[in-house]
Short mmCIF file of all heavy atoms in Angstrom, two decimals:
data_model
loop_
_atom_site.label_atom_id
_atom_site.label_comp_id
_atom_site.label_asym_id
_atom_site.label_seq_id
_atom_site.Cartn_x
_atom_site.Cartn_y
_atom_site.Cartn_z
N THR B 337 92.20 74.96 94.14
CA THR B 337 90.77 74.80 93.88
C THR B 337 90.17 76.00 93.16
O THR B 337 88.95 76.05 93.02
CB THR B 337 90.03 74.62 95.21
OG1 THR B 337 90.36 75.72 96.05
CG2 THR B 337 90.42 73.33 95.89
N GLN B 338 90.96 76.95 92.72
CA GLN B 338 90.38 78.16 92.16
C GLN B 338 89.80 77.94 90.77
O GLN B 338 90.38 77.22 89.96
CB GLN B 338 91.43 79.28 92.11
CG GLN B 338 91.95 79.67 93.46
CD GLN B 338 90.86 80.03 94.43
OE1 GLN B 338 89.88 80.68 94.08
NE2 GLN B 338 90.99 79.58 95.67
N LYS B 339 88.66 78.57 90.51
CA LYS B 339 88.01 78.45 89.20
C LYS B 339 88.23 79.69 88.36
O LYS B 339 87.92 79.71 87.18
CB LYS B 339 86.50 78.24 89.38
CG LYS B 339 86.14 76.96 90.11
CD LYS B 339 86.09 75.80 89.13
CE LYS B 339 85.79 74.50 89.82
NZ LYS B 339 86.98 74.00 90.56
N ASN B 340 88.71 80.75 89.01
CA ASN B 340 88.92 82.01 88.31
C ASN B 340 90.42 82.21 88.17
O ASN B 340 91.16 82.08 89.15
CB ASN B 340 88.29 83.13 89.15
CG ASN B 340 88.46 84.49 88.53
OD1 ASN B 340 89.57 84.91 88.22
ND2 ASN B 340 87.36 85.18 88.33
N ILE B 341 90.88 82.53 86.94
CA ILE B 341 92.32 82.52 86.74
C ILE B 341 93.01 83.66 87.50
O ILE B 341 94.14 83.51 87.97
CB ILE B 341 92.67 82.56 85.24
CG1 ILE B 341 94.14 82.22 85.05
CG2 ILE B 341 92.36 83.89 84.62
CD1 ILE B 341 94.46 81.63 83.73
N LYS B 342 92.30 84.79 87.70
CA LYS B 342 92.93 85.89 88.44
C LYS B 342 93.10 85.52 89.92
O LYS B 342 94.10 85.85 90.54
CB LYS B 342 92.13 87.17 88.30
CG LYS B 342 92.49 87.94 87.03
CD LYS B 342 91.44 88.94 86.67
CE LYS B 342 91.67 90.27 87.34
NZ LYS B 342 90.64 91.25 86.92
N ARG B 343 92.09 84.81 90.46
CA ARG B 343 92.24 84.36 91.86
C ARG B 343 93.35 83.33 91.97
O ARG B 343 94.12 83.32 92.93
CB ARG B 343 90.92 83.74 92.35
CG ARG B 343 89.86 84.76 92.64
CD ARG B 343 88.67 84.11 93.29
NE ARG B 343 88.84 83.97 94.72
CZ ARG B 343 88.55 84.92 95.59
NH1 ARG B 343 88.10 86.07 95.17
NH2 ARG B 343 88.73 84.72 96.87
N MET B 344 93.41 82.44 90.96
CA MET B 344 94.48 81.42 90.97
C MET B 344 95.84 82.12 90.98
O MET B 344 96.73 81.77 91.78
CB MET B 344 94.31 80.52 89.75
CG MET B 344 95.20 79.30 89.72
SD MET B 344 96.85 79.67 89.15
CE MET B 344 96.64 79.54 87.40
N LEU B 345 95.99 83.14 90.09
CA LEU B 345 97.27 83.86 90.05
C LEU B 345 97.53 84.59 91.36
O LEU B 345 98.68 84.74 91.78
CB LEU B 345 97.29 84.83 88.87
CG LEU B 345 97.52 84.19 87.50
CD1 LEU B 345 97.41 85.24 86.41
CD2 LEU B 345 98.88 83.52 87.44
N ALA B 346 96.46 85.07 91.99
CA ALA B 346 96.63 85.77 93.27
C ALA B 346 97.20 84.83 94.32
O ALA B 346 98.19 85.14 95.00
CB ALA B 346 95.30 86.34 93.75
N TYR B 347 96.60 83.61 94.43
CA TYR B 347 97.12 82.66 95.41
C TYR B 347 98.52 82.21 95.02
O TYR B 347 99.38 82.01 95.87
CB TYR B 347 96.17 81.48 95.55
CG TYR B 347 94.98 81.81 96.41
CD1 TYR B 347 93.71 81.89 95.87
CD2 TYR B 347 95.14 82.06 97.76
CE1 TYR B 347 92.62 82.22 96.67
CE2 TYR B 347 94.06 82.39 98.56
CZ TYR B 347 92.80 82.46 98.01
OH TYR B 347 91.75 82.79 98.80
N SER B 348 98.75 82.07 93.71
CA SER B 348 100.10 81.67 93.29
C SER B 348 101.10 82.76 93.65
O SER B 348 102.22 82.47 94.05
CB SER B 348 100.10 81.35 91.80
OG SER B 348 100.84 82.27 91.07
N SER B 349 100.68 84.03 93.57
CA SER B 349 101.65 85.08 93.90
C SER B 349 101.87 85.15 95.41
O SER B 349 102.96 85.54 95.85
CB SER B 349 101.25 86.43 93.31
OG SER B 349 100.20 86.99 94.03
N ILE B 350 100.87 84.72 96.19
CA ILE B 350 101.12 84.59 97.63
C ILE B 350 102.19 83.53 97.87
O ILE B 350 103.16 83.73 98.61
CB ILE B 350 99.82 84.21 98.37
CG1 ILE B 350 98.82 85.35 98.31
CG2 ILE B 350 100.11 83.87 99.84
CD1 ILE B 350 97.48 85.03 98.91
#
Side-chain angles (χ1 to χ4, degrees):
Chain B
T337 55
Q338 298 306 320
K339 297 275 178 285
N340 179 305
I341 193 153
K342 275 162 88 178
R343 285 187 85 85
M344 189 279 274
L345 283 176
Y347 282 112
S348 112
S349 75
I350 293 175

